Amino acid sequence: PRQSPPAFDCLAAMRALGEPSRMRIVRQLLSGPHAVNDLCDELQLTAYNASRHLTVLKTAGLVSVEKQAQRRIYQLATDFQQRLTKNNQVLDLGCCQFDFSKIPE
């Protein structure tokens, strides 16, 4: 049986988004799914750092991953996407909001 994703946890999301590289990754994923290598190139991250950050984001329920042959394709998790407003630029967690359009490059 397929394991269902963990319930969305506001505190885990805030912890995960509290690191600038992870915020940059999420902002990149707002435009759609990306392979790890693409994220590394676009954000100038090492494969090790990108994988480490993506693991934190996945554990927090913010991203999901799909394996395609040898590649891993990351995208925003469904529950996370449902919390995005204003053209997918603002994440509403209920107690606070993250505006990805105001995050520095």
Side-chain angles (χ1 to χ4, degrees):
R2 189 173 177 140
Q3 190 175 17
S4 61
F8 190 82
D9 179 345
C10 182
L11 187 55
M14 289 190 330
R15 281 187 190 129
L17 293 170
E19 203 286 331
S21 291
R22 291 195 285 267
M23 286 285 267
R24 291 172 53 228
I25 289 170
V26 169
R27 185 174 52 198
Q28 201 68 24
L29 293 175
L30 290 172
S31 66
H34 285 70
V36 176
N37 292 343
D38 296 337
L39 289 170
C40 291
D41 293 343
E42 293 163 1
L43 301 174
Q44 298 178 349
L45 295 170
T46 65
Y48 173 80
N49 281 335
S51 293
R52 190 170 50 98
H53 290 309
L54 286 162
T55 298
V56 171
L57 292 167
K58 182 180 173 202
T59 301
L62 302 180
V63 300
S64 60
V65 61
E66 180 181 318
K67 189 173 181 183
Q68 293 180 354
Q70 298 298 323
R71 297 173 46 155
R72 298 213 185 305
I73 308 298
Y74 284 85
Q75 63 185 2
L76 297 179
T78 303
D79 192 32
F80 183 65
Q81 289 177 16
Q82 293 171 354
R83 294 175 179 276
L84 291 167
T85 61
K86 297 183 184 173
N87 296 323
N88 290 339
Q89 290 299 308
V90 176
L91 171 64
D92 187 352
L93 295 176
C95 61
C96 63
Q97 294 182 342
F98 287 88
D99 188 340
F100 292 99
S101 67
K102 295 183 179 179
I103 297 169
E105 297 290 324

